[in-house]
Amino acid sequence: MGPSKEIVERVKKLREAINKYRYDYHVLDKETISPAALDTLKHELATIEEQYPELITPDSPTQRVAGKPLPEFKKIKHTATQWSFNDAFNEEEIRAFDERVRKGVGAAHVAYTCELKIDGLKVVLTYKKGKLESAATRGDGTVGEDVTMNVRTIESVPLILTKPIDVVVEGEVWMSKKNLAKINAERRKAGEDEYANPRNVAAGTIRQLDPRIAASRKLDTFIYDIASSSEPLPATQFAELEYLRELGFKVNKEAEEVKNIDGAITFWKKWEKLKEKQDYLIDGVVLKVNERRYQEALGYTGKAPRFGIAFKFAAEQVTTILEDIVFQVGRTGVVTPVAHLAPVNVAGVMVSRATLHNEDQINRLDVRVGDTVVIQRAGDVIPEVVQVVSELRKKHAPPFVWPKKIAACGGDGAIERVPGMSAWRCVNKNSAIQIRRRWHHFVSRGAMDIDGCGPKTVDLLLDQGLVTTYADLYSLTEGDLVGLPGFQELAAKNLIDGVKKARRVPLDRLLIGLSIGQVGEETARDIAANFGTIEKIEKASVDDLLSVYGVGQIVADSIHTWFRDVENRKTLQALLKVVTPTRVAKVAGGALAGKSFVITGTLTSMSREEAESRIRAKGGSAVGSVSAKTSYVVVGDSPGSKAEKAKKLGVKTITEPELLKLIS
């Protein structure tokens, strides 16, 4: 027998009450009912739903915790591109940003909304008719991981909104410092290692396959932006935050609306001092132009919104002892010095390694083994040595001598300085470690993206002699793999399926996978979009390559040289028999379509990057070197030799005001 009308009505009221108290407690920070009492309401609802499963709905408070772990995360394609903010680290940079904004909108003063930059994990929540449909990580900005089941366990995330609208919102998942302390206390009792910081725990928790683990960690959220909505958006950023609150989201209450950039700097200075007093990690302040009409007018660059910026706090610096300097050989043979340090906690993370970048940096710092050094996490990510406390140096400590040979380079270990750069590289381009790292890179997500083929699998295939060239990977069968250490039938099938899917690959990702020196993601995409096919890239001259935006002399020479190496050409031709590169679309045309620009000197109204971005937005290309094919050379203050070269080649030079007319 089904539930009576009274039971149905009771379930409805229980859900409404639980949702209200949840909102009061987790969003408004008001305890309108004791946690114990709220638990009894939840228990009653769960008991009824257990008796009458047909009453269970996806938005029921009892469904925040799923019963079974997921076997794997699915992918979710974002309906709105997830941008990252550019960074500013001091007043000079933030005032330059404000100047660009004001000139971009033609206003003497611009108001901003200042929000605390929470150091957590970004999530994108999608609601259909007011009900939570999905939650995803940022991922690569286009595709993220489906973490819906874990996010449903977070009490501050409403499963149903106050309005039945379609909306996509963005926010940050975080763990409180107090909660981390409790978890670490439990781990100490159990004899387990402690977690370093709440941000890492929050990120790791959201990526747990078992939602029960996420539920036990008691994560929290702050929602701060609307990516899209079926309703008209408020006229200002600050009003948008209030609108998010009205929909039922938890919004950080410390946001402020300021009249100008001076107010934003004051806000930043205030929170630089107060950040440690909060129960969540803060690594800066996010500034957004308050007026939506101005936001829309400013738009986006290829990477970030022009109307917003992350104003970061000064990186935390600590001192420690540099115990040794060792060398790491990368996949292209570049040799990087790495400092081995006495372990030290930096911004909540234990650090025992830090980059020294190159020989020039070592000489500039005069760093020596045994020195007391200052390290920081630049951008809160990569630890680096930034200073030597020379007063604490031991007497007669010998200067560090850059080696002439590196054993990891193989052969006689010889190294050479890269022409025009501060880097050194192995003379032997095919040492064992370089070959393996090139293979690891080839199968990685950013390159050929072969599912089921990580570094350990690659090492196993190489050790077993099953592959010697990239093309060999595509001729493997399940029978070749079954019986290898760690390979059962399912693992073998997954790898073969992953290889099959990777037979068609965008041309830019193929270029990345080939480990061509100096070719990163952006350069690969620009090259692929401009030439269209791998055959045209093979035939391209250095001048042809220099005509592509973002390609300078060093990059052009590197690409040209790679395609003229006999062994490289053999590798590529064999690979093209089993892989089909697909075209990469060019940027849509505009008023400057077909025109190329070179900028020399300093611009006063915008940064060089901003000018290049606006040129590309109009369909033009911004390149690094002047050639006879260059359309315009923009001459700013204190121009370099490029202006003289333009005159010799008969290339038209224009001033900054003339450029502004073209890109306005």
Side-chain angles (χ1 to χ4, degrees):
M1 181 180 291
S4 66
K5 290 183 179 180
E6 290 78 12
I7 291 177
V8 172
E9 184 65 17
R10 178 66 177 174
V11 166
K12 178 183 176 184
K13 290 183 184 253
L14 278 169
R15 288 175 182 162
E16 291 174 350
I18 292 169
N19 281 331
K20 176 186 181 301
Y21 296 138
R22 176 206 60 80
Y23 180 79
D24 288 347
Y25 186 83
H26 292 281
V27 178
L28 301 182
D29 292 327
K30 294 192 303 182
E31 191 173 295
T32 51
I33 188 174
S34 71
L38 181 56
D39 284 343
T40 61
L41 295 180
K42 292 179 180 178
H43 182 264
E44 181 185 351
L45 178 60
T47 301
I48 296 174
E49 289 182 346
E50 183 178 3
Q51 185 176 357
Y52 301 102
E54 62 267 40
L55 294 180
I56 300 175
T57 60
D59 59 345
S60 172
T62 63
Q63 300 306 298
R64 289 186 181 277
V65 183
K68 296 181 180 179
L70 299 173
E72 62 181 359
F73 284 120
K74 297 179 181 178
K75 303 298 182 184
I76 289 183
K77 185 172 183 179
H78 297 303
T79 56
T81 301
Q82 298 301 301
W83 307 96
S84 295
F85 286 101
N86 289 325
D87 293 331
F89 294 92
N90 53 52
E91 286 191 39
E92 181 181 353
E93 292 177 353
I94 206 66
R95 289 190 184 280
F97 162 74
D98 176 61
E99 184 177 359
R100 294 194 298 271
V101 166
R102 288 187 287 106
K103 289 187 176 181
V105 299
H109 301 285
V110 173
Y112 294 94
T113 290
C114 301
E115 302 170 51
L116 299 183
K117 187 175 182 298
I118 310 301
D119 191 7
L121 177 74
K122 184 174 183 179
V123 290
V124 183
L125 309 179
T126 300
Y127 290 80
K128 295 293 184 182
K129 296 182 179 180
K131 295 182 179 181
L132 179 63
E133 181 179 77
S134 67
T137 60
R138 180 187 181 278
D140 62 4
T142 302
V143 177
E145 292 177 329
D146 183 348
V147 291
T148 307
M149 300 307 292
N150 286 337
V151 168
R152 290 175 69 89
T153 70
I154 303 174
E155 291 284 351
S156 59
V157 174
L159 300 181
I160 187 166
L161 304 180
T162 59
K163 293 183 179 181
I165 63 172
D166 294 348
V167 66
V168 178
V169 301
E170 302 163 4
E172 208 79 2
V173 173
W174 54 276
M175 172 179 280
S176 70
K177 297 174 185 176
K178 290 179 181 177
N179 198 17
L180 176 65
K182 292 179 181 178
I183 292 174
N184 277 339
E186 294 171 359
R187 293 182 68 83
R188 282 196 299 272
K189 288 181 181 178
E192 299 174 328
D193 292 336
E194 295 181 30
Y195 293 123
N197 62 65
R199 194 270 176 200
N200 289 358
V201 182
T205 300
I206 284 298
R207 292 190 172 93
Q208 291 284 338
L209 291 176
D210 189 345
R212 290 171 294 186
I213 297 176
S216 70
R217 298 276 176 84
K218 299 187 183 303
L219 299 177
D220 212 335
T221 60
F222 286 129
I223 304 301
Y224 52 71
D225 201 23
I226 298 175
S228 64
S229 176
S230 58
E231 282 195 336
L233 296 179
T236 68
Q237 186 68 37
F238 199 73
E240 180 175 316
L241 296 178
E242 183 56 38
Y243 177 65
L244 284 166
R245 288 190 185 93
E246 293 171 1
L247 289 176
F249 295 105
K250 184 171 184 175
V251 178
N252 189 278
K253 61 184 179 181
E254 305 297 348
E256 284 185 17
E257 189 177 17
V258 297
K259 295 180 179 179
N260 51 40
I261 198 63
D262 289 330
I265 292 172
T266 299
F267 183 88
W268 176 73
K269 288 181 176 178
K270 178 180 77 173
W271 281 101
E272 174 82 53
K273 298 176 181 178
L274 295 177
K275 65 180 187 293
E276 297 301 330
K277 295 182 179 180
Q278 299 303 305
D279 200 23
Y280 43 83
L281 292 182
I282 308 167
D283 60 357
V285 170
V286 174
L287 270 62
K288 298 175 188 172
V289 172
N290 198 38
E291 295 289 332
R292 185 167 302 282
R293 60 192 177 97
Y294 283 167
Q295 291 186 8
E296 293 172 352
L298 291 165
Y300 298 80
T301 67
K303 294 182 177 180
R306 294 189 180 94
F307 57 82
I309 195 166
F311 195 0
K312 304 295 284 293
F313 297 139
E316 185 174 341
Q317 297 184 343
V318 299
T319 59
T320 188
I321 303 299
L322 188 150
E323 298 178 335
D324 197 6
I325 297 176
V326 299
F327 292 89
Q328 177 177 296
V329 177
R331 59 188 169 83
T332 60
V334 172
V335 175
T336 302
V338 178
H340 281 211
L341 309 164
V344 63
N345 192 301
V346 187
V349 174
M350 290 302 297
V351 171
S352 60
R353 302 285 188 274
T355 181
L356 285 162
H357 296 292
N358 50 52
E359 181 188 22
D360 291 352
Q361 177 75 343
I362 289 178
N363 292 337
R364 184 183 71 78
L365 294 173
D366 185 24
V367 65
R368 307 180 187 188
V369 174
D371 275 348
T372 298
V373 295
V374 178
I375 63 168
Q376 72 177 16
R377 291 179 62 205
D380 295 327
V381 176
I382 305 171
E384 64 175 340
V385 177
V386 295
Q387 184 181 350
V388 173
V389 185
S390 57
E391 294 83 358
L392 299 179
R393 175 177 290 162
K394 295 180 180 179
K395 289 183 179 180
H396 312 301
F400 182 78
V401 178
W402 191 265
K404 295 181 179 179
K405 297 182 178 181
I406 300 291
C409 288
D412 62 2
I415 60 175
E416 62 184 0
R417 182 99 175 201
V418 180
M421 299 179 67
S422 57
W424 286 74
R425 66 187 175 197
C426 301
V427 174
N428 172 22
K429 302 300 189 298
N430 291 303
S431 66
I433 192 168
Q434 290 178 72
I435 291 172
R436 286 187 184 253
R437 286 182 174 161
R438 286 200 291 267
W439 266 97
H440 296 168
H441 178 72
F442 178 80
V443 302
S444 68
R445 180 175 296 180
M448 302 303 284
D449 192 18
I450 300 178
D451 287 338
C453 194
K456 290 183 179 179
T457 299
V458 167
D459 289 344
L460 179 62
L461 296 176
L462 290 170
D463 291 341
Q464 296 292 326
L466 291 175
V467 296
T468 54
T469 70
Y470 297 144
D472 292 339
L473 190 61
Y474 294 82
S475 64
L476 291 174
T477 65
E478 291 182 34
D480 296 327
L481 303 171
V482 174
L484 292 179
F487 262 93
Q488 301 301 322
E489 289 186 11
L490 181 59
K493 183 179 184 302
N494 288 341
L495 175 56
I496 299 305
D497 288 345
V499 170
K500 288 179 180 178
K501 291 178 182 177
R503 286 183 180 272
R504 288 181 61 82
V505 62
L507 177 55
D508 60 324
R509 293 228 315 270
L510 173 62
L511 293 176
I512 293 169
L514 293 174
S515 287
I516 303 171
Q518 311 301 322
V519 177
E521 292 183 12
E522 290 190 21
T523 299
R525 185 168 183 83
D526 291 335
I527 293 288
N530 275 271
F531 289 97
T533 67
I534 191 71
E535 290 77 16
K536 289 183 178 179
I537 299 173
E538 284 185 277
K539 297 175 182 177
S541 66
V542 172
D543 283 342
D544 291 335
L545 293 163
L546 285 171
S547 69
V548 179
Y549 162 73
V551 175
Q553 192 68 50
I554 292 175
V555 176
D557 288 341
S558 177
I559 297 171
H560 188 262
T561 300
W562 193 95
F563 279 101
R564 272 139 196 84
D565 180 271
V566 174
E567 291 303 317
N568 289 341
R569 292 175 71 90
K570 286 182 180 178
T571 297
L572 178 61
Q573 292 307 314
L575 186 58
L576 291 177
K577 292 179 181 179
V578 291
V579 169
T580 302
T582 58
R583 286 181 175 269
V584 175
K586 285 188 176 183
V587 177
L592 300 180
K595 304 293 184 183
S596 61
F597 293 73
V598 172
I599 299 175
T600 181
T602 303
L603 303 181
T604 59
S605 64
M606 69 192 98
S607 68
R608 179 174 298 188
E609 292 75 16
E610 174 72 7
E612 291 176 345
S613 178
R614 293 177 67 176
I615 288 168
R616 294 195 296 274
K618 289 287 185 178
S621 61
V623 298
S625 301
V626 181
S627 72
K629 295 181 180 181
T630 303
S631 305
Y632 300 99
V633 172
V634 183
V635 181
D637 294 338
S638 303
S641 60
K642 294 174 184 177
E644 291 298 322
K645 186 173 182 180
K647 291 180 181 179
K648 291 180 181 179
L649 295 175
V651 175
K652 184 176 181 179
T653 60
I654 61 175
T655 63
E656 184 176 349
E658 289 174 316
L659 172 65
L660 288 173
K661 289 181 180 179
L662 292 174
I663 62 179
S664 63

